[in-house]
């Protein structure tokens, strides 16, 4: 969702801010803007509806002078996408300009109060209350010094309800940038004679590998050569700079047309790196996660909680957890879990899966689980993301930065890590060690199996070119094949805008089959020998009603019956989604390309959903 960038240094801020905004594009946005303070202390703001390209071509762009500035990509929540509603926003006296990611839940009350106090507003946004409230609170301070401005910002934040990452720039303190956050992401990059602010690491990775992480309700006062930190009550605190080993090439397209295609092709590597040294001498090795046998024996329920693709990774692993551990495992959508008064207590293990580690609903669900006494584990891809600061344990997928909105390599890495965790728990419980050993062997073989699939993309590409004009599609499968069907269907709908649904294959007859006609594509997933004959005949049933069929399988299938039978390597049913999802990712990708759509930045979607 909204992206934030900031710069204080010795170079012109404008280009650095634009570069950062371009890197934040993947988060999803509908408008963009930049503010700078010039050496003669003039605040300039340029913003518009549309893309960063439009901002770069904005007739006022050259007015942005100075070596300190803030930038923003907006994803509309309060107020339509428009120039007026774009960030940065200013107070009525143009003393403060602010960019904001998050939602100020009590903005209406605050706006009302400020209007009564004589303040004027120009936008429909929640954000505009922030600079005006700082202005209002500054009037109660003894002067307009840095100290007073910082205090006015703190008093303002104390009054805000909701979530925010805020950057504040003011001609009153022209060489400073003040930033703060509560439940929205914001990191500070440390350079030589220059410092950066961003919503995420890849946006400023070309400038620095050294980052400070700001915790909730902390403040940072940033100049070109210093970063000072303050806690909630404005007591000065120290923070360590962290070196993040990602290199820039990991966040570049490297010759691929789109990030999504690059990320699909990175899966052998991301899976290898996620396994890393976690399989050692025939055992699992999770040094960051140590739970005693006694504690584990008390656990009588496991929840896997997540959103979107991460939730699908959980579904793919549900049966594995139950079969390996003999513990009921429930997979829940985080936005449901947080409101359903779930049965969670100190005998519950809750695993939260999130690529970004910033998904608002997943974090809220984590807090609820902790309040109820559960043991909590975060599985995430982003180092030091919000979720890692709250969970009891964190396990990282080492998938590298995922830029495309449609999640691909994170999904397969999540299944790999969830599987290793399940085996690790079974080893601690001394349960089902034979199955665990078989899976450990299979895990090691997966990267080369993925490579094999990736060396045979033509059939999928050709099938995509045959069916891209169809209007509806149904993905069907049983058990883990159904879990993979859900993910394949989500991929297709989010980047091709084709109506798509996933069904357990046996459910088709109970209603959805009524929708099958000529312009429908059916994708059957058939990797489990037990259920293969059933699902095959389900696909045949729809074929006779006019649909076109793609079958993804590792079973023996009569190729002549279907439009395409795509064969994937043999694999345990528990790990089959890691392989069967690859042709589905490619299918969605090539359909989207055939339709001429923006694969990496599909409409209406944000990479990480940091508001409810
Ligand atoms: O960052 P997270 O894994 O928490 O994100 C969860 C979902 O928003 C995400 O998986 C979303 O469904 C993707 N766009 C799917 O491709």
């Amino acid at each position: 969702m909204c992206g934030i960038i900031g710069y204080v240094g010795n170079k012109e801020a404008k280009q650095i801010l634009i570069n950062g905004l371009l890197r934040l594009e993947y988060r999803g946005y509908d408008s963009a803007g930049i503010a700078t303070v010039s050496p003669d202390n003039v605040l300039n703001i340029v913003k518009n509806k549309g893309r960063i390209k439009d901002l770069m071509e904005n007739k006022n762009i050259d007015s942005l002078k100075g070596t300190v500035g803030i930038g923003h990509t907006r994803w509309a929540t309060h107020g339509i996408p428009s120039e007026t509603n774009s960030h940065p926003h200013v107070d009525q006296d143009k003393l403060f300009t602010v960019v904001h990611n998050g939602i100020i839940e009590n903005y209406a009350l605050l706006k009302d109060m400020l209007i009564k106090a004589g303040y004027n507003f120009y936008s429909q946004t929640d954000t505009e209350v922030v600079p005006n409230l700082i202005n209002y609170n500054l009037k109660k301070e003894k002067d307009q010094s840095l100290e007073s401005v910082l205090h006015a910002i703190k008093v303002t934040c104390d009054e805000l309800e909701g979530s925010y990452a805020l950057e504040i720039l003011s001609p009153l303190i022209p060489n400073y940038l003040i930033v703060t956050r509560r439940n929205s992401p914001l990191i500070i990059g440390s350079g030589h004679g220059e410092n950066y602010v961003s919503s995420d690491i890849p946006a400023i990775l070309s400038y620095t590998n050294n980052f400070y992480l700001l915790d909730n309700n902390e403040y940072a006062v940033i100049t070109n050569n210093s970063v000072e930190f303050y806690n909630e009550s404005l007591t000065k605190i120290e923070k360590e700079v962290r070196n993040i080993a990602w290199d820039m090439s990991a966040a570049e397209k490297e010759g691929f047309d789109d990030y999504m295609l690059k990320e699909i092709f990175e899966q052998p590597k991301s899976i290898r790196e996620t396994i890393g040294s976690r399989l050692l001498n025939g055992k699992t090795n999770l040094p960051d996660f140590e739970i005693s046998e006694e504690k584990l024996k008390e656990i009588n329920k496991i929840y896997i909680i997540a959103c979107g693709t991460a939730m699908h990774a959980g579904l793919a692993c549900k049966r594995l957890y139950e079969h390996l551990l003999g513990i009921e495992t429930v997979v829940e959508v985080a936005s449901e879990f947080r409101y359903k008064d779930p049965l969670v207590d100190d005998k519950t293990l809750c695993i939260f899966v999130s690529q970004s580690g910033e998904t608002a609903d997943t974090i809220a669900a984590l807090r609820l689980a902790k309040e109820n006494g559960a043991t909590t584990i975060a599985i995430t891809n982003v180092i030091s993301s919000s979720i890692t600061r709250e969970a009891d344990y964190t396990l990282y997928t080492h998938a590298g930065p995922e830029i495309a909105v449609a999640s691909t390599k994170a999904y397969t890495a999540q299944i790999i890590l969830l599987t290793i965790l399940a085996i690790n728990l079974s080893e601690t419980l001394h349960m089902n060690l034979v199955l665990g050993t078989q899976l450990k062997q299979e895990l090691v073989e997966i990267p080369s199996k993925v490579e094999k699939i990736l060396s045979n993309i033509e059939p999928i590409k050709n099938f995509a070119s045959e069916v891209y004009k169809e209007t509806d599609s149904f993905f069907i499968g049983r058990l883990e094949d159904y879990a993979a069907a859900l993910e394949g269907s989500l991929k297709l709908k989010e980047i091709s805008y084709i109506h798509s649904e996933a069904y357990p294959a046996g459910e088709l007859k109970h209603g959805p089959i009524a929708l099958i006609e000529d312009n429908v594509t059916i994708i059957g997933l058939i990797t489990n020998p037990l259920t293969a004959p059933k699902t095959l005949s389900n696909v045949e049933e729809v074929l006779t009603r006019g649909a076109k069929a793609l079958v993804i399988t590792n079973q023996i299938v009569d190729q002549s019956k279907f439009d395409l039978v795509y064969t994937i390597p043999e694999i345990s049913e528990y790990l089959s989604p890691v392989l069967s999802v690859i042709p589905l990712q490619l299918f969605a990708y090539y359909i989207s390309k055939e339709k001429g759509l923006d694969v990496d930045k599909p409409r209406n979607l944000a990479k990480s959903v940091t508001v409810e």
Side-chain angles (χ1 to χ4, degrees):
M1 297 202 138
C2 303
I4 281 181
I5 194 87
Y7 177 76
V8 202
N10 41 35
K11 303 189 186 84
E12 277 296 305
K14 180 182 74 183
Q15 196 52 49
I16 292 170
L17 295 170
I18 287 174
N19 293 347
L21 289 180
L22 286 168
R23 292 202 179 282
L24 291 169
E25 272 194 307
Y26 77 95
R27 297 171 69 89
Y29 71 107
D30 48 59
S31 40
I34 289 178
T36 58
V37 172
S38 67
D40 51 347
N41 248 2
V42 177
L43 174 65
N44 279 302
I45 299 177
V46 179
K47 54 186 187 174
N48 52 237
K49 183 181 164 191
R51 315 305 281 176
I52 315 287
K53 194 169 91 15
D54 303 316
L55 186 69
M56 290 156 78
E57 289 164 5
N58 190 303
K59 61 181 184 334
N60 298 320
I61 194 77
D62 289 333
S63 67
L64 293 169
K65 305 258 185 273
T67 59
V68 50
I70 57 179
H72 189 263
T73 48
R74 173 172 189 252
W75 196 85
T77 55
H78 294 71
I80 55 161
S82 68
E83 181 184 333
T84 312
N85 288 334
S86 311
H87 299 215
H89 285 286
V90 281
D91 63 297
Q92 62 170 19
D93 302 323
K94 298 197 169 53
L95 293 181
F96 297 100
T97 183
V98 163
V99 294
H100 166 218
N101 172 14
I103 292 179
I104 308 300
E105 288 167 4
N106 59 340
Y107 85 98
L109 274 176
L110 295 168
K111 191 168 173 175
D112 219 33
M113 182 280 284
L114 288 163
I115 289 171
K116 284 187 185 127
Y119 282 75
N120 297 313
F121 285 80
Y122 58 86
S123 78
Q124 290 89 51
T125 66
D126 51 339
T127 304
E128 198 188 346
V129 298
V130 179
N132 282 298
L133 196 55
I134 300 172
N135 174 315
Y136 174 81
N137 285 323
L138 185 67
K139 290 189 175 144
K140 299 181 202 156
E141 301 288 328
K142 60 180 187 307
D143 55 26
Q144 296 188 333
S145 64
L146 171 65
E147 196 186 1
S148 300
V149 168
L150 182 59
H151 193 256
I153 291 171
K154 175 234 170 335
V155 173
T156 298
C157 290
D158 288 348
E159 292 176 67
L160 301 180
E161 285 169 19
S163 60
Y164 53 78
L166 290 169
E167 283 187 300
I168 301 135
L169 183 65
S170 168
L172 296 175
I173 44 165
N175 302 317
Y176 292 86
L177 204 55
I178 299 184
V179 302
T180 182
R181 67 178 283 267
R182 186 195 293 161
N183 296 331
S184 285
L186 188 144
I187 49 120
I188 297 160
S190 161
H192 298 293
E194 51 195 355
N195 289 304
Y196 309 84
V197 179
S198 177
S199 295
D200 61 32
I201 291 170
I204 52 176
L205 208 49
S206 57
Y207 301 114
T208 182
N209 282 89
N210 296 321
F211 298 92
Y212 292 106
L213 306 169
L214 203 62
D215 283 322
N216 275 340
N217 304 315
E218 290 179 345
Y219 300 84
V221 177
I222 309 170
T223 68
N224 60 343
N225 54 22
S226 67
V227 188
E228 289 182 350
F229 296 96
Y230 298 85
N231 69 11
E232 193 167 1
S233 40
L234 288 190
T235 305
K236 213 164 165 188
I237 52 173
E238 295 299 321
K239 278 195 180 274
E240 269 182 30
V241 73
R242 298 207 191 182
N243 188 272
I244 306 281
W246 287 353
D247 66 3
M248 199 43 217
S249 66
E252 298 279 8
K253 284 190 199 158
E254 289 179 340
F256 285 92
D257 284 351
D258 306 275
Y259 282 112
M260 182 179 176
L261 191 61
K262 176 191 169 231
E263 289 159 8
I264 291 172
F265 273 83
E266 278 175 342
Q267 289 176 103
K269 178 171 177 247
S270 55
I271 292 170
R272 270 190 198 103
E273 295 197 349
T274 298
I275 297 172
S277 57
R278 286 166 169 155
L279 298 181
L280 215 56
N281 306 323
K283 290 199 76 178
T284 58
N285 170 43
L286 294 177
D288 299 334
F289 173 69
E290 276 173 19
I291 189 164
S292 68
E293 188 179 342
E294 295 67 48
K295 175 73 192 163
L296 201 49
K297 277 188 172 149
E298 285 174 10
I299 298 292
N300 58 22
K301 190 168 188 178
I302 297 175
Y303 270 104
I304 303 177
I305 300 153
C307 300
T309 288
M311 192 275 292
H312 293 162
L315 282 174
C317 297
K318 171 188 160 67
R319 256 182 7 123
L320 172 67
Y321 273 72
E322 293 187 333
H323 290 179
L324 265 179
L325 307 172
I327 303 175
E328 185 196 1
T329 301
V330 180
V331 180
E332 279 278 5
V333 171
S335 54
E336 290 289 303
F337 179 88
R338 64 183 290 191
Y339 292 115
K340 70 184 297 186
D341 198 7
L343 295 175
V344 170
D345 58 23
D346 60 355
K347 296 188 174 51
T348 314
L349 175 67
C350 290
I351 306 168
F352 296 86
V353 187
S354 172
Q355 187 284 131
S356 62
E358 303 292 351
T359 299
D361 283 317
T362 308
I363 294 170
L366 164 62
R367 289 188 188 135
L368 175 67
K370 282 192 82 172
E371 274 166 30
N372 288 9
T375 301
T376 57
I377 307 175
I379 289 191
T380 184
N381 194 38
V382 178
I383 296 156
S384 298
S385 52
S386 300
I387 204 170
T388 68
R389 297 183 226 171
E390 304 201 29
D392 297 324
Y393 305 96
T394 296
L395 296 171
Y396 287 108
T397 49
H398 297 301
E402 191 180 65
I403 307 290
V405 165
S407 186
T408 53
K409 61 177 179 171
Y411 170 78
T412 46
Q414 284 158 356
I415 296 178
I416 297 294
L417 190 47
L418 279 166
T419 302
I420 294 173
L421 175 61
I423 303 169
N424 179 271
L425 296 170
S426 77
E427 286 171 351
T428 307
L429 288 171
H430 312 285
M431 284 184 70
N432 295 314
L433 299 178
V434 175
L435 176 56
T437 303
Q438 180 208 327
L439 290 170
K440 278 180 273 188
Q441 183 54 38
E442 296 232 14
L443 281 167
V444 178
E445 292 164 4
I446 283 185
S448 56
K449 291 182 177 177
V450 174
E451 271 158 8
K452 198 164 173 208
I453 296 173
L454 290 172
S455 67
N456 181 29
I457 61 174
E458 284 307 310
I460 296 290
K461 198 172 171 180
N462 294 338
F463 186 68
S465 71
E466 279 168 35
V467 298
Y468 76 95
K469 288 190 180 142
E470 310 292 17
T471 51
D472 299 274
S473 58
F474 290 84
F475 289 69
I476 61 168
R478 285 178 161 77
L479 306 173
E480 283 73 22
D481 285 334
Y482 169 54
L486 281 164
E487 176 57 10
S489 171
L490 176 64
K491 284 294 84 87
L492 185 65
K493 64 165 77 85
E494 71 179 326
I495 61 168
S496 76
Y497 316 148
I498 291 175
H499 167 242
S500 165
E501 296 188 40
Y503 274 97
E507 271 295 293
L508 264 196
K509 284 208 218 33
H510 298 278
I513 202 162
L515 294 170
I516 304 298
E517 51 185 339
D518 285 357
N519 53 358
V520 170
T521 311
I522 184 111
I523 296 99
L525 294 161
I526 301 169
T527 68
N528 185 328
L530 182 72
T531 59
K534 305 277 177 210
T535 308
L536 265 178
S537 65
N538 296 137
V539 182
E540 283 185 52
E541 276 159 21
V542 296
L543 266 184
T544 58
R545 287 165 176 83
K548 292 200 180 57
L550 161 62
V551 171
I552 313 272
T553 188
N554 51 20
Q555 306 295 300
I556 294 166
V557 170
D558 180 352
Q559 311 237 352
S560 66
K561 284 188 177 166
F562 307 97
D563 296 280
L564 174 62
V565 175
Y566 185 88
T567 304
I568 59 170
E570 283 287 318
I571 189 157
S572 153
E573 63 202 77
Y574 299 109
L575 285 162
S576 62
V578 178
L579 297 190
S580 55
V581 80
I582 311 275
L584 300 183
Q585 295 167 345
L586 289 162
F587 179 60
Y589 173 82
Y590 285 115
I591 295 252
S592 179
K593 290 301 273 187
E594 287 285 351
K595 293 182 81 172
L597 299 172
D598 187 340
V599 175
D600 287 336
K601 297 188 284 288
R603 70 184 180 202
N604 306 338
L605 290 177
K607 179 64 180 163
S608 63
V609 183
T610 52
V611 294
E612 236 187 287

